[in-house]
Amino acid sequence: MIKLFEYNWQVRKEWLDWCETVSMAELMKKRTGGIGYFLPTLYHIIAVEYGWICGGILEKEIDIPDFDDVAGVQQIKEFSERCHAELAPFVYGWDDSMADRIMIDITDEGEREPHTYAEVLSHVIAHEIHHIGQLSVWAREIGKAPVSANVVGRGLFGDVYD
């Protein structure tokens, strides 16, 4: 599970760097599917990861700014770094004995829903990968190469040729 978080963090950083090569008009142009925009989608990915882990599992008081308060590439990068610094110790401290621990989610309707930590972390990983696919489609629509979605070749598992 840790390697998939590292993958997501690496790809997210690459997408944020990619955004610096595109005009703000393109980043904020309405598109089909998902959140519908490049920057708000990246913001959403970060906010969801931070909310589930720090707010949900760790039960911390969390500060998620409104998108309008961080609506630039550099501000989204800083938001990502702040959230990453807070949740990474939990991810790197993961061991399989934590998988069946229960987190109680309070739904928008005020209902209490129990979820295992493994379910929540799996959801967060899949959620980001889903949205990264949308960014890739949108990138191709504007004639730009997307960030590679490959896990292979990213150095996450060491160099097998050593």
Side-chain angles (χ1 to χ4, degrees), residues 22-38:
V22 177
S23 72
M24 186 57 78
E26 284 290 356
L27 295 176
M28 295 303 296
K29 182 178 176 183
K30 179 70 173 148
R31 305 189 185 280
T32 301
I35 304 298
Y37 309 84
F38 282 103

Side-chain angles (χ1 to χ4, degrees), residues 98-159:
M98 301 162 72
D100 293 328
R101 291 184 188 169
I102 301 295
M103 182 208 94
I104 303 297
D105 180 33
I106 308 299
T107 68
D108 292 339
E109 295 78 31
E111 300 292 323
R112 296 171 54 84
E113 288 186 349
H115 304 288
T116 66
Y117 284 17
E119 178 184 19
V120 170
L121 294 184
S122 296
H123 169 71
V124 168
I125 291 165
H127 175 262
E128 182 154 352
I129 292 169
H130 162 75
H131 283 299
I132 292 305
Q134 291 173 324
L135 296 178
S136 297
V137 170
W138 298 338
R140 287 184 183 98
E141 287 176 354
I142 66 171
K144 290 196 55 89
V147 169
S148 172
N150 285 339
V151 173
V152 173
R154 289 185 163 275
L156 295 168
F157 296 90
D159 189 349

Side-chain angles (χ1 to χ4, degrees), residues 50 53-55 58 60-63 79-91:
Y50 180 64
I53 295 174
C54 289
L58 299 176
K60 291 182 174 184
E61 288 291 323
I62 58 173
D63 176 29
F79 176 51
S80 181
E81 290 166 7
R82 177 177 65 83
C83 294
H84 180 264
E86 201 170 327
L87 64 86
F90 172 79
V91 171

Side-chain angles (χ1 to χ4, degrees), residues 16 19 24 27-28 37-43 67 71-73 76:
L16 287 165
C19 285
M24 186 57 78
L27 295 176
M28 295 303 296
Y37 309 84
F38 282 103
L39 272 186
T41 297
L42 286 159
Y43 163 86
F67 174 76
V73 176
I76 299 284

